[in-house]
Amino acid sequence: FSLAVAVARAQVQQEPSLETTQGTGINITCSHPKIQTGQTIYWYRQLPGRGPELFVSIHKDSKELPGSAGHVSVSADRRSSWLWLAEPRRGDAAVYYCALGA
């Protein structure tokens, strides 16, 4: 599976855990120092008791999340990306993963 191979090769790194209170914005960081030119950055969300689902994908710059829920941004050198949740609610409690793929 190409996405899994890309993740292993890219050595994606994230914080082990983050906490916030309801309504207080939170920034989730992903480091991918070996990202390649054509690769896209994918953020997945896994809600409790469910499988991971694609949350947002981005190649460069920044992108707003649906419903003004926040945004995802990529550094100029594309070696890092950030998922900003502006006003997280209880239903946003989840595991957030980043990954790379073609």
Side-chain angles (χ1 to χ4, degrees):
F1 183 50
S2 61
L3 185 61
V5 172
V7 169
R9 185 172 62 242
Q11 298 179 358
V12 170
Q13 298 173 335
Q14 294 179 258
E15 303 99 331
S17 70
L18 289 172
E19 291 184 7
T20 188
T21 56
Q22 184 166 294
T24 301
I26 189 169
N27 199 46
I28 306 171
T29 302
C30 180
S31 174
H32 26 80
K34 296 185 179 180
I35 191 170
Q36 297 177 10
T37 303
Q39 289 184 308
T40 297
I41 302 160
Y42 297 92
W43 282 87
Y44 289 83
R45 179 167 80 167
Q46 185 173 12
L47 296 168
R50 300 181 64 176
E53 296 180 334
L54 181 62
F55 192 57
V56 64
S57 63
I58 189 170
H59 186 75
K60 62 179 182 178
D61 300 326
S62 64
K63 179 188 286 189
E64 294 295 315
L65 298 177
S68 300
H71 62 265
V72 60
S73 302
V74 181
S75 63
D77 63 8
R78 299 201 338 118
R79 293 182 178 182
S80 298
S81 60
W82 301 271
L83 178 63
W84 169 253
L85 301 177
E87 295 184 3
R89 301 299 176 195
R90 191 175 300 274
D92 294 315
V95 179
Y96 292 83
Y97 300 97
C98 68
L100 302 177

